[in-house]
Amino acid sequence: QVHLVESGGGLVQPGGSLRLSCEISGRTFSSYSMAWFRQSPGKEREFVAGTRLGNSNTYYTDSVKGRFTVSRDSAKNTEYLQMNSLNPEDTAEYYCAITSRRPILSTMRTPATYDYWGQGTQVTVSA
């Protein structure tokens, strides 16, 4: 079994920053595709950023480009999402997800592509 645990969420003022962590444990893969998603009440789960197995590129949804950055500490089996210049529209529950497969580009933004999910961490951007 694979376990993902997110942390780092909280309340932040507009313009502020947060760094989310996603610690991966259990029967982990040597390599995987991963993504960050977010979901607000009444809205569908939205792709935020992700990487594909065997590809060094990181993909971001347009609304976070230039503000959010994905990184990885392989020694710690941890993924990070650095979020800068936060605004109220970024308020959501944030989830990390992984799969051992290499999804095609058209499916990497689809939640069903990913096999393992964390429990989420709440990010609230408010004055």
Side-chain angles (χ1 to χ4, degrees), residues 10-15 86-89 91 123-127:
L11 173 64
V12 63
Q13 292 187 342
L86 286 161
N87 58 62
E89 290 70 39
T91 295
V123 172
T124 302
V125 184
S126 175

Side-chain angles (χ1 to χ4, degrees), residues 36-100:
W36 289 92
F37 285 80
R38 64 187 180 186
Q39 188 168 22
S40 303
K43 294 186 177 181
E44 292 187 354
R45 193 163 293 190
E46 173 193 27
F47 174 86
V48 175
T51 60
R52 289 195 303 158
L53 175 64
N55 188 311
S56 62
N57 293 334
T58 303
Y59 302 88
Y60 298 91
T61 195
D62 287 345
S63 63
V64 308
K65 284 180 180 178
R67 300 188 299 122
F68 289 13
T69 304
V70 170
S71 62
R72 175 183 298 177
D73 186 334
S74 298
K76 296 182 178 179
N77 288 326
T78 301
E79 301 279 345
Y80 300 98
L81 181 66
Q82 177 67 43
M83 307 186 295
N84 299 327
S85 302
L86 286 161
N87 58 62
E89 290 70 39
D90 296 315
T91 295
E93 188 84 7
Y94 282 72
Y95 301 88
C96 61
I98 66 171
T99 177
S100 60

Side-chain angles (χ1 to χ4, degrees), residues 95-118:
Y95 301 88
C96 61
I98 66 171
T99 177
S100 60
R101 298 183 297 272
R102 184 175 186 267
I104 58 176
L105 279 176
S106 61
T107 63
M108 70 176 301
R109 298 171 183 264
T110 304
T113 295
Y114 300 88
D115 303 310
Y116 301 97
W117 290 81

Side-chain angles (χ1 to χ4, degrees), residues 6 33 69:
E6 299 99 334
S33 303
T69 304

